[in-house]
Amino acid sequence: MKRTLSTLSGPLGAILLIVVLMSLAMVVAGTSPIDGFSALFLGALGGRNELGETLVATTSLLFPALGITLAFRAGLFNIGAEGQLLMGGLFAGAVGAAIALPPAIEITLLLLLGAVGGGIWGGIAGWMKARFGASEIIATLMLNFVAAFLALDLVSGPLKGPLASGAETAWLAPQYWLPTLLPHTRLSIGLVVALAIAVVLQFVFTRTVFGYDLRAVGEAPEAARRSGVDLRRLTWLSLALSGAIAGVGGAVIVTGELHRFNTQLSPGYGFTAIAVALVGDLNPLWVCVAAFGFGILEAGGLAMQASAQVPKDAIHLIEGLIILVLAARRYVAAGTEVA
């Protein structure tokens, strides 16, 4: 019995359960699981263009997921990655359309400005939590709406591009676009930047005093305080850094995909990224794997809908079932350890 529970609590058991639950969701939707899975993988991995779009979605999810991972490690629930992503993109798009520097310098500057924009937005929530004891869940969630309305107001007014037909900034000059990683696709070197951040975070979490403090505050804040950790400073810094990483993601979307900022920059990446971080078990390297899995669902979902007649809502159901499987797996694992 224990051996069975151990198997179910491991990665293989999680994969099997996910496949079963996805199959059930497709059956409920009136689609053959074989047709559904075929359409999913062909739509996500069936060719260079399909793989490119999957990795584009992976990149867009990975930045906010890594930022959320950092905050969650400190026991802080950052629900504001969507707004932080938006502000990072706004900073990059507005400045990129207004200045002209040597390409390498400007691209670097725009990514840094994305970090600044997202960091400011995360830092506001961190300051409210540290100074007034405000709930970071409510603060970060509400700041999403503030970011959305502020961005809309600015790009509909003073920051609107002179030739723009909608609420968006002017286009970046082609020399300020991120280099393409996969020829003839939208995939840029932003993916490399995201993976580099994941490696750095893994090192920080496992090899530095700051990483140890994050874990201590997340698991036992009172004990961490008694050992000399400044909880207020760490709270503010964690949310600011979390927002900065998400903000870089917004800048990457602007410089690597859209080549301008508009209010439709994110279809909800910041919210889906919460699931990605949890599925990755708050481990930066596993979060990369989880982001790729969700990227497959995002990119292959359209093919499932078009080729296998799987309703779009079924894709969201599948994503929710994956979270359920993860929670069940961790619960079984905890029960096995206690036994």
Side-chain angles (χ1 to χ4, degrees), residues 247-262:
V248 175
V252 164
I253 294 175
V254 167
T255 56
E257 297 176 34
L258 300 179
H259 308 131
R260 67 199 186 282
F261 173 85
N262 64 41

Side-chain angles (χ1 to χ4, degrees), residues 215-239:
R215 180 175 178 180
V217 170
E219 295 182 357
E222 182 59 26
R225 184 187 66 78
R226 292 182 180 181
S227 67
V229 177
D230 188 336
L231 296 186
R232 289 187 175 183
R233 177 179 176 277
L234 194 69
T235 293
W236 173 80
L237 186 59
S238 297
L239 284 172

Side-chain angles (χ1 to χ4, degrees), residues 13 28 37 40 42 54 65 72 83 109 111 115 161 185 220 235 241 254 258 264 283 294 302 312-313 336:
V28 170
F37 280 115
L40 174 67
L42 285 175
T54 295
F72 279 23
L109 175 63
L111 295 182
T185 70
T235 293
L241 289 175
V254 167
L258 300 179
Q264 304 303 312
N283 179 306
F294 275 82
L302 293 176
K312 186 177 180 181
D313 290 341
T336 303

Side-chain angles (χ1 to χ4, degrees), residues 233-305:
R233 177 179 176 277
L234 194 69
T235 293
W236 173 80
L237 186 59
S238 297
L239 284 172
L241 289 175
S242 176
I245 296 172
V248 175
V252 164
I253 294 175
V254 167
T255 56
E257 297 176 34
L258 300 179
H259 308 131
R260 67 199 186 282
F261 173 85
N262 64 41
T263 54
Q264 304 303 312
L265 173 141
S266 170
Y269 291 132
F271 297 113
T272 304
I274 298 173
V276 174
L278 293 176
V279 169
D281 205 22
L282 305 183
N283 179 306
L285 301 184
W286 281 111
V287 167
C288 294
V289 177
F292 181 62
F294 275 82
I296 289 174
L297 287 177
E298 292 285 335
L302 293 176
M304 289 180 71
Q305 185 174 9

Side-chain angles (χ1 to χ4, degrees), residues 207-222:
R207 303 291 183 181
T208 68
V209 174
F210 177 67
Y212 173 80
D213 288 346
L214 282 176
R215 180 175 178 180
V217 170
E219 295 182 357
E222 182 59 26

Side-chain angles (χ1 to χ4, degrees), residues 13-280:
I15 292 172
L16 291 174
L17 285 173
I18 288 172
V19 170
V20 170
L21 291 175
M22 288 180 68
S23 299
L24 290 175
M26 293 178 199
V27 170
V28 170
T31 300
S32 165
I34 295 177
D35 293 339
F37 280 115
S38 296
L40 174 67
F41 287 106
L42 285 175
L45 307 171
R48 181 174 60 185
N49 291 334
E50 290 79 7
L51 177 61
E53 287 304 307
T54 295
L55 292 176
V56 166
T58 299
T59 304
S60 299
L61 289 169
L62 191 48
F63 283 101
L66 290 171
I68 289 168
T69 295
L70 190 152
F72 279 23
R73 281 269 185 152
L76 299 167
F77 293 89
N78 180 11
I79 315 298
E82 183 76 3
Q84 294 150 15
L85 191 79
L86 203 64
M87 294 307 294
L90 178 63
F91 272 51
V95 174
I99 65 173
L101 298 172
I105 295 176
E106 177 147 344
I107 289 173
T108 302
L109 175 63
L110 296 185
L111 295 182
L112 290 175
L113 284 171
V116 171
I120 290 174
W121 222 243
I124 292 173
W127 175 75
M128 294 172 65
K129 172 75 172 179
R131 180 67 178 83
F132 303 105
S135 167
E136 78 277 9
I137 298 175
I138 295 176
T140 53
L141 181 62
M142 292 299 102
L143 282 169
N144 286 331
F145 296 101
V146 177
F149 285 116
L150 177 61
L152 178 61
D153 186 60
L154 289 175
V155 296
S156 297
L159 297 182
K160 183 176 181 178
L163 301 178
S165 58
E168 60 185 31
T169 62
W171 282 66
L172 301 179
Q175 63 265 32
Y176 303 136
W177 298 359
L178 284 180
T180 300
L181 191 60
L182 189 62
H184 308 296
T185 70
R186 297 193 304 151
L187 181 63
S188 73
I189 63 169
L191 176 61
V192 177
V193 176
L195 294 175
I197 291 176
V199 172
V200 171
L201 280 182
Q202 182 71 9
F203 176 81
V204 168
F205 290 162
T206 59
R207 303 291 183 181
T208 68
V209 174
F210 177 67
Y212 173 80
D213 288 346
L214 282 176
R215 180 175 178 180
V217 170
E219 295 182 357
E222 182 59 26
R225 184 187 66 78
R226 292 182 180 181
S227 67
V229 177
D230 188 336
L231 296 186
R232 289 187 175 183
R233 177 179 176 277
L234 194 69
T235 293
W236 173 80
L237 186 59
S238 297
L239 284 172
L241 289 175
S242 176
I245 296 172
V248 175
V252 164
I253 294 175
V254 167
T255 56
E257 297 176 34
L258 300 179
H259 308 131
R260 67 199 186 282
F261 173 85
N262 64 41
T263 54
Q264 304 303 312
L265 173 141
S266 170
Y269 291 132
F271 297 113
T272 304
I274 298 173
V276 174
L278 293 176
V279 169

